[in-house]
Amino acid sequence: MEKMDKIDKKLLSLLQENARYPLKYLASQVFLSSPAVSARIERLEKQGIISGYHADVEPVTLGYHITAFINLQLEPKQKPEFYPFISSCPNVLECNCVTGTFSMLIKVCFPSTQALDTFIGHLQEYGKTETQIVFSTPVKNRGINITELEPTE
């Protein structure tokens, strides 16, 4: 992997801020030509540093008023059956294999507590659960602070 320089870091910061910034604007911010910026972005994509571009959608405006984190105690032998199940659930925003008493941390979004309760019932076929319902989110997903990254080797 090529070493990232200040320009790469600035581009990553800008793209995390708004992935739809025009190439011309990005180029003006890093003092390079548009083709040079385009080549850098393509390299960052090929290296897997940029893994995709996404729109931030506000769940509440679409009727999904309940966001929750569900901890699930899952036996390792259940993973081959559980992973396809959890991947197929459209209300699952994120699923992480974690350390601690519970082995899975699942972020979900539902229109009602009844729908959440039904989903938890399905999860409990795999193991014990513990759920926290989100009241508010004072810090939303904001990406990685690129300027704080140590230089790559």
Side-chain angles (χ1 to χ4, degrees):
M1 181 182 299
E2 281 185 51
K3 185 177 178 180
M4 283 199 320
D5 61 15
K6 286 181 183 180
I7 294 172
D8 291 335
K9 290 177 183 180
K10 177 72 173 175
L11 286 172
L12 289 172
S13 292
L14 288 164
L15 289 170
Q16 284 186 114
E17 184 180 295
N18 182 354
R20 294 190 66 181
Y21 277 141
L23 205 52
K24 187 175 179 179
Y25 173 77
L26 294 172
S28 73
Q29 296 301 299
V30 296
F31 307 105
L32 291 176
S33 67
S34 292
V37 168
S38 180
R40 280 177 178 262
I41 291 171
E42 187 176 328
R43 178 178 46 79
L44 293 167
E45 291 169 348
K46 285 181 180 172
Q47 289 177 336
I49 294 169
I50 296 175
S51 60
Y53 300 90
H54 311 278
D56 286 332
V57 177
E58 187 56 50
V60 172
T61 62
L62 297 175
Y64 292 86
H65 299 278
I66 307 297
T67 298
F69 289 92
I70 304 168
N71 288 294
L72 172 66
Q73 219 170 32
L74 182 74
E75 294 296 322
K77 66 182 180 213
Q78 294 176 288
K79 287 180 180 181
E81 180 186 346
F82 176 74
Y83 284 175
F85 162 74
I86 203 70
S87 295
S88 72
C89 299
N91 296 79
V92 172
L93 303 179
E94 195 172 310
C95 179
N96 299 281
C97 186
V98 297
T99 61
T101 305
F102 294 94
S103 54
M104 293 290 155
L105 176 61
I106 306 160
K107 182 178 181 182
V108 297
C109 209
F110 284 93
S112 66
T113 54
Q114 293 84 0
L116 172 61
D117 186 46
T118 300
F119 178 72
I120 291 170
H122 293 302
L123 277 182
Q124 288 172 337
E125 295 173 19
Y126 293 95
K128 180 183 170 191
T129 63
E130 182 178 277
T131 303
Q132 295 89 35
I133 293 178
V134 174
F135 288 142
S136 65
T137 306
V139 179
K140 294 192 181 251
N141 185 351
R142 56 183 170 196
I144 296 172
N145 186 345
I146 304 299
T147 57
E148 296 297 318
L149 284 180
E150 295 295 320
T152 54
E153 298 297 321

